[in-house]
Amino acid sequence: MSKKLDPVTQAIRIRTTQTSQHEHTTPLYLTSSFTFDEAEAMRAAFADESDDNIYSRFSNPNVDEFIAKMCALEGADAGFATATGMSAIFSSMFALLKQGDHLICCSSVFGSTYTLVTKYLQRFGIESTLVPAGDPAAWEAAVQANSKMVYLETPTNPQLEVIDLERVGQFAKKHKLILNVDNCFATPLLQRPIDFGADLVVHSATKWIDGQGRVLGGVIVGNAELVKEIYLFCRNTGPSLSPFNAWILSKSLETLDVRMQRHCENALNIAQALQSNPHVAWVKYPFLPGHPQYDIAKKQMKAGGGVFCMELKGGLAAGRKFLDSLELLSVTANLGDSRSIASHPASTTHSKLTDAERLAVGITPGLIRISSGLEKAADILADICQALEKSAL
Ligand SMILES: *Cc1c(COP(=O)(O)O)cnc(C)c1O
C-alpha cells in the first residue's frame, strides 16, 4: 500500500488479497496449516525463500493483516502478534536477553511486567535495575557494562507519569541499549515511540486496540532485525495470536482513530470537572495543566489518553465505598473499553506488591483509576459524582 496515505487510512485500507469471492471484508482464515501443491514449494517455504504460509503458529493471513496495520500506525518495519500483551512483553525480553545481561526497567510498570522482571528474569540470570520514571539521573546511574535493554511505559499505569521519550531515546542511543516501550496507554494515534528512537514497541491489544472488551491480544513492532529474533523465538515457543482474535483486532483498528478522539475528550472533560469535587484530593491526567510532566505530555502526545486517576480524601475505606456505589461504571480489571471502568489498583492489579513497594510507585490507598468509555461524558460524570457523595458518608 502507498506510503503516502496517512497511517489512519492505511489502518482502514490494508487488507489481505481478496479471494475469488470478491468479499469486501477480509474472511476469517481459521486454519491451523496451509497446503502446498509441490514438494519444491514446501521446501522453499521452510527455507525462508518464499512468503508462503506454513503453519498458523508461524503466520496466518488474519494475523499478518493485523501486524501490517500496526506497523503502519507505529511507523515500524516489522512485527509479530501474540496471544496477550504479557506474551508480547515476555517474548520481547526473552528473545533478546540472555544470562548475564542487564535490563534497566522503569519501576512503575504494569503489575505482571513488574513480576516478570523482578521474579522470572532473575531466575534465568538476567539482572535488572528498577529506576523511578521521573528521575533521568537515576537512569544514567543504572547503566552497567552488561546493560542491554531499557524498558518503560508512558503514561505509566495507573498513576500516569509521563516519561520524556526524546530524552530516553537519546540515553538509549548513547549507551547502545535496545529501547523497548509499552505503548498500550497512548496507542500509536497519540504517540509514536519509534519517532523518538525506540527500537521496539509492545502493546496489550486487549485494551484500546480492541476497545470493546472482547479479546486478548498483543503485538511487538519495530526494528526488522530485532523483530526477526523475536519472530524466531515465538515461532518456536508458541505465544502466537489466534486468527479469530486477529480478525477482531484488525477490524478494531479501522475505528481506533475516532474512538480515541472520543475517549480522550471524555477523559479530559471529566477529569477537569472532578478537580473541584470536595471529596477528591487530586486528579491526575497528562493533559491537565497541574500534571507534573504536563509540558512533556504536550510535546510527545497528541491527546492525554482515555485514563485518568484521582485520590479520594477518605482513603482506602472511601475507595471501596466508591466502587460499591457506582451504578453505571463497571468495576472490572480491564481498561480501554467502550464502557467506562473504575478500578482500585491497591487491592487489584498491584495487590502482589508490599505496601512500601506500592507507595514507591505512587499507588496510594484511595487511588481510583477511571478508564473513560464512549458513553456521553455527562452520564459518566454524574455517576462518578453520586458515588463520591456516597463514599464520603
Ligand atoms: C493490560 C496491560 C498489559 C498486559 O496485557 P494483557 O493483554 O492483559 O496480557 C501490559 N501493559 C499494560 C500497560 C497494560 O495495561
mmCIF file of all heavy atoms in Angstrom, residues 194-226:
data_model
loop_
_atom_site.group_PDB
_atom_site.id
_atom_site.type_symbol
_atom_site.label_atom_id
_atom_site.label_comp_id
_atom_site.label_asym_id
_atom_site.label_seq_id
_atom_site.Cartn_x
_atom_site.Cartn_y
_atom_site.Cartn_z
ATOM 1 N N ILE A 194 8.698 5.151 18.222
ATOM 2 C CA ILE A 194 9.753 4.941 17.225
ATOM 3 C C ILE A 194 10.271 6.287 16.701
ATOM 4 O O ILE A 194 11.449 6.444 16.413
ATOM 5 C CB ILE A 194 9.246 4.017 16.094
ATOM 6 C CG1 ILE A 194 9.091 2.591 16.651
ATOM 7 C CG2 ILE A 194 10.186 4.028 14.885
ATOM 8 C CD1 ILE A 194 8.423 1.603 15.723
ATOM 9 N N ASP A 195 9.387 7.280 16.622
ATOM 10 C CA ASP A 195 9.810 8.616 16.170
ATOM 11 C C ASP A 195 10.823 9.244 17.133
ATOM 12 O O ASP A 195 11.532 10.182 16.776
ATOM 13 C CB ASP A 195 8.599 9.550 16.032
ATOM 14 C CG ASP A 195 7.642 9.096 14.926
ATOM 15 O OD1 ASP A 195 8.054 8.258 14.106
ATOM 16 O OD2 ASP A 195 6.488 9.583 14.911
ATOM 17 N N PHE A 196 10.868 8.742 18.365
ATOM 18 C CA PHE A 196 11.805 9.274 19.364
ATOM 19 C C PHE A 196 12.984 8.334 19.590
ATOM 20 O O PHE A 196 13.736 8.489 20.544
ATOM 21 C CB PHE A 196 11.079 9.512 20.697
ATOM 22 C CG PHE A 196 9.969 10.521 20.596
ATOM 23 C CD1 PHE A 196 8.652 10.119 20.454
ATOM 24 C CD2 PHE A 196 10.253 11.881 20.631
ATOM 25 C CE1 PHE A 196 7.622 11.050 20.355
ATOM 26 C CE2 PHE A 196 9.234 12.818 20.538
ATOM 27 C CZ PHE A 196 7.918 12.406 20.394
ATOM 28 N N GLY A 197 13.115 7.307 18.758
ATOM 29 C CA GLY A 197 14.283 6.426 18.855
ATOM 30 C C GLY A 197 14.030 5.068 19.474
ATOM 31 O O GLY A 197 14.982 4.316 19.693
ATOM 32 N N ALA A 198 12.772 4.719 19.758
ATOM 33 C CA ALA A 198 12.512 3.374 20.296
ATOM 34 C C ALA A 198 12.836 2.333 19.232
ATOM 35 O O ALA A 198 12.597 2.543 18.041
ATOM 36 C CB ALA A 198 11.056 3.245 20.727
ATOM 37 N N ASP A 199 13.430 1.199 19.676
ATOM 38 C CA ASP A 199 13.738 0.104 18.760
ATOM 39 C C ASP A 199 12.570 -0.863 18.662
ATOM 40 O O ASP A 199 12.361 -1.502 17.640
ATOM 41 C CB ASP A 199 14.976 -0.651 19.262
ATOM 42 C CG ASP A 199 16.169 0.267 19.378
ATOM 43 O OD1 ASP A 199 16.669 0.703 18.333
ATOM 44 O OD2 ASP A 199 16.575 0.585 20.517
ATOM 45 N N LEU A 200 11.841 -0.986 19.785
ATOM 46 C CA LEU A 200 10.692 -1.897 19.836
ATOM 47 C C LEU A 200 9.533 -1.217 20.540
ATOM 48 O O LEU A 200 9.743 -0.432 21.479
ATOM 49 C CB LEU A 200 11.055 -3.161 20.633
ATOM 50 C CG LEU A 200 12.097 -4.104 20.039
ATOM 51 C CD1 LEU A 200 12.467 -5.166 21.072
ATOM 52 C CD2 LEU A 200 11.587 -4.762 18.753
ATOM 53 N N VAL A 201 8.333 -1.523 20.084
ATOM 54 C CA VAL A 201 7.121 -1.050 20.754
ATOM 55 C C VAL A 201 6.251 -2.276 21.010
ATOM 56 O O VAL A 201 6.038 -3.084 20.105
ATOM 57 C CB VAL A 201 6.362 -0.026 19.882
ATOM 58 C CG1 VAL A 201 5.024 0.339 20.506
ATOM 59 C CG2 VAL A 201 7.210 1.227 19.674
ATOM 60 N N VAL A 202 5.811 -2.424 22.245
ATOM 61 C CA VAL A 202 4.930 -3.552 22.574
ATOM 62 C C VAL A 202 3.566 -3.019 22.998
ATOM 63 O O VAL A 202 3.450 -1.883 23.479
ATOM 64 C CB VAL A 202 5.521 -4.455 23.696
ATOM 65 C CG1 VAL A 202 6.726 -5.204 23.200
ATOM 66 C CG2 VAL A 202 5.850 -3.660 24.942
ATOM 67 N N HIS A 203 2.549 -3.848 22.792
ATOM 68 C CA HIS A 203 1.182 -3.453 23.132
ATOM 69 C C HIS A 203 0.427 -4.595 23.774
ATOM 70 O O HIS A 203 0.597 -5.745 23.378
ATOM 71 C CB HIS A 203 0.381 -3.113 21.858
ATOM 72 C CG HIS A 203 0.599 -1.734 21.363
ATOM 73 N ND1 HIS A 203 -0.038 -0.653 21.903
ATOM 74 C CD2 HIS A 203 1.400 -1.263 20.380
ATOM 75 C CE1 HIS A 203 0.348 0.437 21.259
ATOM 76 N NE2 HIS A 203 1.228 0.103 20.337
ATOM 77 N N SER A 204 -0.459 -4.243 24.671
ATOM 78 C CA SER A 204 -1.560 -5.118 25.018
ATOM 79 C C SER A 204 -2.693 -4.661 24.102
ATOM 80 O O SER A 204 -3.290 -3.604 24.320
ATOM 81 C CB SER A 204 -1.957 -4.945 26.476
ATOM 82 O OG SER A 204 -3.195 -5.590 26.683
ATOM 83 N N ALA A 205 -2.986 -5.458 23.071
ATOM 84 C CA ALA A 205 -4.066 -5.099 22.137
ATOM 85 C C ALA A 205 -5.436 -5.312 22.774
ATOM 86 O O ALA A 205 -6.463 -4.914 22.237
ATOM 87 C CB ALA A 205 -3.942 -5.918 20.855
ATOM 88 N N THR A 206 -5.409 -5.952 23.940
ATOM 89 C CA THR A 206 -6.614 -6.189 24.746
ATOM 90 C C THR A 206 -7.313 -4.882 25.124
ATOM 91 O O THR A 206 -8.510 -4.867 25.364
ATOM 92 C CB THR A 206 -6.188 -6.911 26.051
ATOM 93 O OG1 THR A 206 -5.284 -7.963 25.729
ATOM 94 C CG2 THR A 206 -7.366 -7.453 26.814
ATOM 95 N N LYS A 207 -6.544 -3.804 25.208
ATOM 96 C CA LYS A 207 -7.066 -2.541 25.734
ATOM 97 C C LYS A 207 -7.672 -1.696 24.610
ATOM 98 O O LYS A 207 -8.625 -2.102 24.002
ATOM 99 C CB LYS A 207 -5.952 -1.816 26.494
ATOM 100 C CG LYS A 207 -5.193 -2.718 27.482
ATOM 101 C CD LYS A 207 -6.070 -3.222 28.610
ATOM 102 C CE LYS A 207 -5.412 -4.339 29.432
ATOM 103 N NZ LYS A 207 -4.092 -4.058 29.961
ATOM 104 N N TRP A 208 -7.107 -0.545 24.320
ATOM 105 C CA TRP A 208 -7.745 0.376 23.363
ATOM 106 C C TRP A 208 -7.831 -0.185 21.954
ATOM 107 O O TRP A 208 -8.703 0.196 21.179
ATOM 108 C CB TRP A 208 -6.983 1.711 23.313
ATOM 109 C CG TRP A 208 -6.823 2.327 24.644
ATOM 110 C CD1 TRP A 208 -5.687 2.378 25.400
ATOM 111 C CD2 TRP A 208 -7.850 2.968 25.431
ATOM 112 N NE1 TRP A 208 -5.932 2.998 26.595
ATOM 113 C CE2 TRP A 208 -7.246 3.378 26.637
ATOM 114 C CE3 TRP A 208 -9.205 3.219 25.232
ATOM 115 C CZ2 TRP A 208 -7.956 4.031 27.646
ATOM 116 C CZ3 TRP A 208 -9.906 3.872 26.224
ATOM 117 C CH2 TRP A 208 -9.282 4.268 27.415
ATOM 118 N N ILE A 209 -6.897 -1.071 21.594
ATOM 119 C CA ILE A 209 -6.870 -1.567 20.225
ATOM 120 C C ILE A 209 -8.126 -2.383 19.940
ATOM 121 O O ILE A 209 -8.828 -2.111 18.980
ATOM 122 C CB ILE A 209 -5.557 -2.339 19.943
ATOM 123 C CG1 ILE A 209 -4.395 -1.327 19.934
ATOM 124 C CG2 ILE A 209 -5.641 -3.095 18.623
ATOM 125 C CD1 ILE A 209 -3.029 -1.933 19.755
ATOM 126 N N ASP A 210 -8.449 -3.350 20.785
ATOM 127 C CA ASP A 210 -9.760 -3.999 20.656
ATOM 128 C C ASP A 210 -10.826 -2.963 21.029
ATOM 129 O O ASP A 210 -11.769 -2.731 20.287
ATOM 130 C CB ASP A 210 -9.862 -5.230 21.556
ATOM 131 C CG ASP A 210 -11.294 -5.760 21.623
ATOM 132 O OD1 ASP A 210 -11.978 -5.699 20.584
ATOM 133 O OD2 ASP A 210 -11.732 -6.194 22.688
ATOM 134 N N GLY A 211 -10.661 -2.390 22.200
ATOM 135 C CA GLY A 211 -11.509 -1.270 22.589
ATOM 136 C C GLY A 211 -12.934 -1.615 22.961
ATOM 137 O O GLY A 211 -13.720 -0.719 23.268
ATOM 138 N N GLN A 212 -13.272 -2.901 22.910
ATOM 139 C CA GLN A 212 -14.649 -3.271 23.223
ATOM 140 C C GLN A 212 -14.717 -4.456 24.183
ATOM 141 O O GLN A 212 -15.748 -5.127 24.299
ATOM 142 C CB GLN A 212 -15.411 -3.551 21.922
ATOM 143 C CG GLN A 212 -15.693 -2.240 21.176
ATOM 144 C CD GLN A 212 -15.575 -2.387 19.673
ATOM 145 O OE1 GLN A 212 -16.538 -2.688 18.991
ATOM 146 N NE2 GLN A 212 -14.368 -2.202 19.167
ATOM 147 N N GLY A 213 -13.589 -4.716 24.862
ATOM 148 C CA GLY A 213 -13.568 -5.733 25.908
ATOM 149 C C GLY A 213 -13.875 -7.146 25.446
ATOM 150 O O GLY A 213 -14.455 -7.923 26.192
ATOM 151 N N ARG A 214 -13.468 -7.494 24.211
ATOM 152 C CA ARG A 214 -13.851 -8.809 23.688
ATOM 153 C C ARG A 214 -12.729 -9.827 23.694
ATOM 154 O O ARG A 214 -12.927 -10.985 24.054
ATOM 155 C CB ARG A 214 -14.368 -8.662 22.246
ATOM 156 C CG ARG A 214 -15.562 -7.757 22.137
ATOM 157 C CD ARG A 214 -15.841 -7.392 20.700
ATOM 158 N NE ARG A 214 -14.739 -6.637 20.120
ATOM 159 C CZ ARG A 214 -14.760 -6.072 18.930
ATOM 160 N NH1 ARG A 214 -15.804 -6.210 18.159
ATOM 161 N NH2 ARG A 214 -13.726 -5.390 18.491
ATOM 162 N N VAL A 215 -11.555 -9.426 23.242
ATOM 163 C CA VAL A 215 -10.484 -10.417 23.070
ATOM 164 C C VAL A 215 -9.171 -9.958 23.715
ATOM 165 O O VAL A 215 -8.944 -8.771 23.926
ATOM 166 C CB VAL A 215 -10.202 -10.705 21.571
ATOM 167 C CG1 VAL A 215 -11.428 -11.294 20.888
ATOM 168 C CG2 VAL A 215 -9.716 -9.463 20.851
ATOM 169 N N LEU A 216 -8.309 -10.943 23.993
ATOM 170 C CA LEU A 216 -6.955 -10.651 24.451
ATOM 171 C C LEU A 216 -6.040 -10.680 23.227
ATOM 172 O O LEU A 216 -6.275 -11.449 22.298
ATOM 173 C CB LEU A 216 -6.475 -11.717 25.439
ATOM 174 C CG LEU A 216 -7.288 -11.938 26.714
ATOM 175 C CD1 LEU A 216 -6.630 -13.034 27.544
ATOM 176 C CD2 LEU A 216 -7.389 -10.672 27.534
ATOM 177 N N GLY A 217 -5.004 -9.869 23.255
ATOM 178 C CA GLY A 217 -4.045 -9.894 22.164
ATOM 179 C C GLY A 217 -2.851 -9.031 22.502
ATOM 180 O O GLY A 217 -2.909 -8.197 23.421
ATOM 181 N N GLY A 218 -1.763 -9.233 21.768
ATOM 182 C CA GLY A 218 -0.566 -8.424 21.970
ATOM 183 C C GLY A 218 0.177 -8.292 20.671
ATOM 184 O O GLY A 218 -0.067 -9.049 19.723
ATOM 185 N N VAL A 219 1.075 -7.330 20.611
ATOM 186 C CA VAL A 219 1.857 -7.161 19.394
ATOM 187 C C VAL A 219 3.187 -6.494 19.733
ATOM 188 O O VAL A 219 3.274 -5.720 20.692
ATOM 189 C CB VAL A 219 1.049 -6.375 18.320
ATOM 190 C CG1 VAL A 219 0.760 -4.958 18.751
ATOM 191 C CG2 VAL A 219 1.727 -6.392 16.950
ATOM 192 N N ILE A 220 4.218 -6.880 18.967
ATOM 193 C CA ILE A 220 5.548 -6.282 19.097
ATOM 194 C C ILE A 220 5.885 -5.752 17.711
ATOM 195 O O ILE A 220 5.799 -6.514 16.736
ATOM 196 C CB ILE A 220 6.606 -7.352 19.449
ATOM 197 C CG1 ILE A 220 6.196 -8.142 20.687
ATOM 198 C CG2 ILE A 220 7.989 -6.734 19.601
ATOM 199 C CD1 ILE A 220 6.735 -9.569 20.703
ATOM 200 N N VAL A 221 6.234 -4.484 17.588
ATOM 201 C CA VAL A 221 6.677 -3.959 16.293
ATOM 202 C C VAL A 221 7.986 -3.208 16.484
ATOM 203 O O VAL A 221 8.317 -2.794 17.594
ATOM 204 C CB VAL A 221 5.625 -3.008 15.641
ATOM 205 C CG1 VAL A 221 4.325 -3.737 15.348
ATOM 206 C CG2 VAL A 221 5.378 -1.775 16.495
ATOM 207 N N GLY A 222 8.714 -3.022 15.390
ATOM 208 C CA GLY A 222 9.945 -2.244 15.498
ATOM 209 C C GLY A 222 10.974 -2.604 14.452
ATOM 210 O O GLY A 222 10.630 -3.026 13.337
ATOM 211 N N ASN A 223 12.222 -2.454 14.854
ATOM 212 C CA ASN A 223 13.386 -2.714 14.026
ATOM 213 C C ASN A 223 13.354 -4.142 13.467
ATOM 214 O O ASN A 223 13.180 -5.109 14.208
ATOM 215 C CB ASN A 223 14.602 -2.477 14.944
ATOM 216 C CG ASN A 223 15.896 -2.963 14.380
ATOM 217 O OD1 ASN A 223 16.106 -4.159 14.214
ATOM 218 N ND2 ASN A 223 16.770 -2.034 14.092
ATOM 219 N N ALA A 224 13.525 -4.283 12.133
ATOM 220 C CA ALA A 224 13.342 -5.577 11.471
ATOM 221 C C ALA A 224 14.266 -6.670 12.011
ATOM 222 O O ALA A 224 13.852 -7.816 12.167
ATOM 223 C CB ALA A 224 13.534 -5.420 9.965
ATOM 224 N N GLU A 225 15.519 -6.305 12.302
ATOM 225 C CA GLU A 225 16.474 -7.314 12.782
ATOM 226 C C GLU A 225 16.064 -7.871 14.142
ATOM 227 O O GLU A 225 16.113 -9.081 14.379
ATOM 228 C CB GLU A 225 17.847 -6.660 12.940
ATOM 229 C CG GLU A 225 18.922 -7.229 12.060
ATOM 230 C CD GLU A 225 20.197 -6.415 12.210
ATOM 231 O OE1 GLU A 225 20.924 -6.640 13.187
ATOM 232 O OE2 GLU A 225 20.414 -5.523 11.359
ATOM 233 N N LEU A 226 15.659 -6.970 15.040
ATOM 234 C CA LEU A 226 15.238 -7.405 16.375
ATOM 235 C C LEU A 226 13.945 -8.210 16.292
ATOM 236 O O LEU A 226 13.795 -9.237 16.960
ATOM 237 C CB LEU A 226 15.041 -6.191 17.302
ATOM 238 C CG LEU A 226 16.280 -5.342 17.584
ATOM 239 C CD1 LEU A 226 15.920 -4.133 18.436
ATOM 240 C CD2 LEU A 226 17.362 -6.170 18.274
#
